Amino acid sequence: MATSFKTFDPGKDSVVTRNLLHEAIPITGSIISGTYGLNNIKNYSHGMFQSVYDYPYLSSSANHIIDLTCGYANNSILSGTSATHLQNAKKINIYNEMAQVLAGFTAAGAVREFDKDGDLTTGDKLQQAYFINFTRLLAKDEIKKGSFSIELGTGTAYTSPFATTVTITDASGANGYKVNSPAGEYGVLFAKDSTGSPMSAHGTNGTAVGLLYYQAGIAVLSASAFGSLLTTPVSMSRTDGSAVTWPSASVESVLTSSAISGNCDDLRNRLQNVSFNNTTELNSTIYFCRADNTDFNYSANPTYLSESKIVVKTDSQDVPVTYMTSVGLYSADNELLAVAKLSEPLKKDPTTEFTVRVRLDY
Amino acid sequence: MGFLDNSGDIILDAVLTDLGRKRLAEGNGKFRIDKFAFGDDEINYGLYDKGNTSGSAYYDLSILQTPVLEAFTNNMSSMKSRLISYTSNDLLYLPVIMLNNGGFAAAYPSPNTHMILSDQTTVDYMINANTTGNSTSLQEGFLNGNNPVNGDGFIRSDQGLNTPALSSDEVIDPTLIETQYFIQIDNRLGNIRPLTANTSNAFTPTSVDDDNIATYIFTEGDGSGVVDLIGANNSATSVIQGPQGTYTKFKVASSLDLKTSAFLFDEIGTVGTAASAITNDGYTLDGSAGKTFKFIDSTIRISGVSTGYTLDVPVRFIKKTS
């Protein structure tokens, strides 16, 4: 009896596997704050965050890559209601929103503040922070642990932000990540000198300066990266076109008196490079399509026959031969559910056997 | 689709078809891969050069250089010709499926298509009232799609070894007889009906895919009357020159949409012109003299389940709109 289908042996011909796929994501500072001016920067009337695109956002080619925002805790020293406080409530709301999603709640039901070293029982809190939210387009399923790096400009003058730089990484993320967050795993971000020695006053490199939430794709950057961490805190803002020097433009001052969008502008001014590897989790089923020597040696291709005679045979003693180019995977109802194509024809005759391995990723 | 890079190692480009994605989305367990088949859609076996003087290693040089297209996601566009397994390696002839174009199974001569009249208005107009005035006056090549029971027209295909080298009196090798067929039709346009007059209900398709292609499966002896051995009684009417296998015979009913609305004719059809005129015993739909007819050209695919051979039968659904 002729047959064109071969049924899989469920225990033998298919296997389920899981693979992690990593992509390198380099984001140069020139895209964030230079190449396209403000055309790839989108601010919203609500003023709660700022979106960064990789191309002018009015173009259909633009991809949304990062959202930036900032905030501080309600009991931060920056919190207040004086005339110099701008968007105070929104900054607190942003901080609380990020904290409740990423850090969760205390036993008493209060929003837990970000902890500097991830030890929730004790230690300093991150009460003033910038938030860098990477879109799912970049982060995919998660940021690969140990691959994250930000080159941050720490030059004192606003106009020469990269005169000195620090590198912030999740160096310990690969084997020292934390799992006590409701938003998945996270690592501590550490800063060390890169260009010059802007942190020398602290005596050591590798100071904790933020948190990186791998599955959420969010970096929480302490405002101290521009302030107390450095020997000379930086001028964060140029409000009227001329350089405003510290301390009037200190990060604390700007976080208080500038709008969130202005703070995001100032942060972008000091982002030289961001890079990480993302991770896509591929769940695969591998089907082993086995063609034994007696299988698939004839074809239903109309060109295979001429007046019903097989064109590749001269007499009946010639071996039949076919050339496979495709594999079809079917349901029991003969519905074609998946198809795979070989990059070149494979010759099949009674002297050969094949196992074609088809992997379907989900 | 582009061609696959064939400059290095053999790679495999696998995708879910649109139907596969639909079944996956339905989440009801219908996405369950149960079996596989190999295909050779791109191969032209006519390039097999048995006369190459350089030796047998050169016979298939052109075939092996055939570039292969990337996978189509449309399930109807892939795996049109499948590789077949037979236990014997010494077969020299394989069966084909051919359209039997005789009598009331005939296709309308030009454009060599079965004409399916979609509604009673069209049927009435095309019936020659000057003769009998009954339903049988539709000439060969026309199918009464409005009420198939009242029409004589049908579609028939024959299967067997179509070669003058073998006598039709010879008994075909039982392994070459196709006993089960897929018949596929655009479900928006019509459905498959039995030939016998007293069973007018439509068959139920086994499945309808995301492109509205309905698949029916008919087996010899399943009671539908669609598949039967050609046999001695109707051997003379078969188009198969050599040993004969089975035939399929069925009628086609137009869908409710085609009967009651011209929407699909406007959407995917054509307005008839003098050049596409059709005639039935003096009655002509030619797009002139205030007459308007619209038509949709489609195909009905008949495939052998085990032998894999496929025949596309062109059909034209016709509606007289004024």
Side-chain angles (χ1 to χ4, degrees):
Chain A
M1 184 64 185
T3 177
S4 57
F5 296 109
K6 192 167 181 181
T7 304
F8 286 113
D9 179 342
K12 181 182 161 195
D13 292 337
S14 65
V15 63
V16 178
T17 65
R18 176 177 169 271
N19 292 296
L20 299 179
L21 179 70
H22 301 295
E23 296 171 302
I25 307 292
I27 306 170
T28 59
S30 58
I31 287 181
I32 299 174
S33 61
T35 302
Y36 302 111
L38 292 176
N39 292 327
N40 65 325
I41 309 300
K42 192 174 187 180
N43 288 303
Y44 302 88
S45 57
H46 54 64
M48 299 285 276
F49 64 91
Q50 183 180 78
S51 296
V52 181
Y53 291 74
D54 65 353
Y55 197 67
Y57 63 81
L58 290 177
S59 166
S60 59
S61 303
N63 294 302
H64 180 198
I65 56 173
I66 297 175
D67 285 324
L68 299 172
T69 186
C70 62
Y72 44 72
N74 192 34
N75 59 355
S76 160
I77 57 169
L78 302 185
S79 178
T81 56
S82 74
T84 59
H85 282 83
L86 194 60
Q87 290 188 321
N88 182 64
K90 288 188 175 181
K91 290 169 186 170
I92 293 172
N93 289 346
I94 284 288
Y95 183 93
N96 285 340
E97 177 190 345
M98 302 301 279
Q100 76 177 48
V101 171
L102 300 175
F105 298 89
T106 65
V111 174
R112 190 190 298 278
E113 293 179 353
F114 291 105
D115 194 277
K116 194 173 180 181
D117 61 3
D119 181 355
L120 304 181
T121 59
T122 182
D124 295 338
K125 303 296 180 186
L126 298 177
Q127 291 191 313
Q128 305 86 32
Y130 293 94
F131 301 99
I132 305 174
N133 298 21
F134 298 98
T135 61
R136 193 168 63 235
L137 178 71
L138 297 192
K140 299 289 177 64
D141 290 336
E142 68 174 277
I143 294 170
K144 184 184 178 188
K145 299 176 185 73
S147 71
F148 187 82
S149 174
I150 292 181
E151 197 76 8
L152 209 59
T154 53
T156 306
Y158 178 88
T159 50
S160 54
F162 305 122
T164 61
T165 61
V166 296
T167 301
I168 297 173
T169 65
D170 67 328
S172 67
N175 54 13
Y177 60 87
K178 313 290 182 183
V179 294
N180 55 359
S181 161
E185 298 149 351
Y186 68 100
V188 179
L189 293 173
F190 293 94
K192 62 180 181 180
D193 291 337
S194 179
T195 306
S197 305
M199 296 170 57
S200 59
H202 290 270
T204 58
N205 289 339
T207 303
V209 73
L211 303 170
L212 178 65
Y213 290 84
Y214 295 112
Q215 284 84 28
I218 297 175
V220 181
L221 188 61
S222 169
S224 66
F226 302 108
S228 59
L229 181 72
L230 305 174
T231 307
T232 307
V234 303
S235 291
M236 279 299 282
S237 177
R238 181 175 59 182
T239 55
D240 58 359
S242 60
V244 179
T245 55
W246 182 86
S248 62
S250 67
V251 65
E252 293 85 355
S253 171
V254 170
L255 265 177
T256 306
S257 58
S258 288
I260 291 174
S261 61
N263 276 282
C264 295
D265 291 342
D266 299 337
L267 174 62
R268 285 190 297 105
N269 180 56
R270 292 185 174 275
L271 284 176
Q272 189 174 39
N273 283 307
V274 181
S275 67
F276 60 89
N277 288 357
N278 68 21
T279 303
T280 304
E281 187 176 313
L282 292 177
N283 290 293
S284 308
T285 305
I286 298 171
Y287 295 93
F288 297 96
C289 304
R290 305 181 200 278
D292 297 332
N293 67 316
T294 55
D295 295 336
F296 304 114
N297 294 321
Y298 295 90
S299 173
N301 188 317
T303 66
Y304 194 67
L305 303 176
S306 174
E307 290 193 321
S308 276
K309 183 173 178 292
I310 300 170
V311 297
V312 297
K313 295 178 80 166
T314 302
D315 58 55
S316 61
Q317 298 309 306
D318 291 342
V319 292
V321 58
T322 58
Y323 299 87
M324 64 174 74
T325 62
S326 334
V327 186
L329 303 180
Y330 291 83
S331 69
D333 293 337
N334 301 302
E335 292 181 326
L336 182 61
L337 301 178
V339 63
K341 299 301 290 271
L342 293 154
S343 58
E344 59 188 69
L346 271 185
K347 184 178 181 178
K348 178 74 184 72
D349 63 33
T351 67
T352 56
E353 291 190 344
F354 288 124
T355 297
V356 179
R357 184 174 168 274
V358 181
R359 193 182 84 188
L360 293 181
D361 296 332
Y362 301 96
Chain B
M1 297 295 157
F3 291 118
L4 293 169
D5 181 1
N6 57 3
S7 60
D9 293 338
I10 297 176
I11 58 169
L12 202 65
D13 168 44
V15 294
L16 293 184
T17 62
D18 48 3
L19 177 62
R21 293 200 300 270
K22 184 185 180 197
R23 295 289 180 250
L24 196 60
E26 287 170 351
N28 55 8
K30 278 194 168 182
F31 185 86
R32 188 178 183 86
I33 290 172
D34 184 71
K35 53 191 170 184
F36 70 95
F38 290 115
D40 59 356
D41 292 350
E42 288 92 347
I43 301 300
N44 177 4
Y45 287 93
L47 298 176
Y48 195 83
D49 182 13
K50 287 184 290 190
N52 193 302
T53 53
S54 299
S56 59
Y58 293 83
Y59 290 178
D60 57 5
L61 204 57
S62 297
I63 290 178
L64 289 172
Q65 290 173 344
T66 303
V68 179
L69 291 163
E70 291 174 311
F72 297 140
T73 54
N74 183 357
N75 60 301
M76 287 299 289
S77 305
S78 298
M79 301 295 295
K80 290 197 290 292
S81 66
R82 299 191 295 272
L83 302 188
I84 313 296
S85 302
Y86 286 100
T87 50
S88 172
N89 287 331
D90 57 7
L91 297 174
L92 189 58
Y93 294 92
L94 291 182
V96 296
I97 300 172
M98 299 180 68
L99 185 64
N100 188 325
N101 204 8
F104 280 105
Y108 189 76
S110 177
N112 198 24
T113 299
H114 286 86
M115 301 291 183
I116 301 169
L117 306 179
S118 297
D119 59 13
Q120 195 59 44
T121 301
T122 313
V123 172
D124 288 344
Y125 185 81
M126 296 304 288
I127 288 176
N128 186 346
N130 293 330
T131 55
T132 61
N134 60 38
S135 60
T136 60
S137 61
L138 280 175
Q139 73 178 55
E140 294 167 0
F142 289 87
L143 279 73
N144 186 333
N146 182 66
N147 190 356
V149 172
N150 290 340
D152 290 325
F154 58 90
I155 296 173
R156 170 173 166 161
S157 70
D158 291 353
Q159 184 254 352
L161 304 181
N162 184 43
T163 172
L166 300 172
S167 166
S168 61
D169 294 333
E170 287 189 36
V171 178
I172 191 170
D173 183 331
T175 63
L176 303 181
I177 296 178
E178 183 63 74
T179 57
Q180 193 174 51
Y181 290 86
F182 298 128
I183 298 181
Q184 293 172 311
I185 184 174
D186 190 328
N187 204 42
R188 296 171 300 175
L189 307 180
N191 46 70
I192 304 299
R193 294 295 179 96
L195 206 66
T196 43
N198 57 357
T199 51
S200 59
N201 290 334
F203 297 119
T204 303
T206 307
S207 63
V208 179
D209 77 5
D210 60 305
D211 299 315
N212 273 312
I213 303 299
T215 300
Y216 299 77
I217 298 181
F218 298 105
T219 308
E220 182 198 357
D222 63 1
S224 68
V226 173
V227 182
D228 205 351
L229 290 168
I230 292 175
N233 288 340
N234 48 23
S235 177
T237 61
S238 173
V239 294
I240 299 293
Q241 298 179 70
Q244 295 155 350
T246 54
Y247 67 80
T248 62
K249 256 180 169 180
F250 56 89
K251 293 182 176 180
V252 179
S254 52
S255 68
L256 191 63
D257 284 348
L258 295 197
K259 287 178 183 175
T260 59
S261 163
F263 173 76
L264 281 172
F265 289 95
D266 294 334
E267 193 76 10
I268 56 176
T270 308
V271 177
T273 63
S276 57
I278 57 171
T279 304
N280 181 55
D281 288 350
Y283 280 72
T284 303
L285 282 173
D286 59 1
S288 63
K291 296 191 289 288
T292 301
F293 73 99
K294 298 179 178 178
F295 59 84
I296 300 170
D297 285 333
S298 182
T299 56
I300 295 174
R301 179 171 292 178
I302 303 171
S303 306
V305 173
S306 59
T307 58
Y309 202 87
T310 296
L311 172 70
D312 284 338
V313 180
V315 293
R316 174 172 289 183
F317 292 88
I318 302 170
K319 188 179 186 76
K320 180 178 181 295
T321 54
S322 66

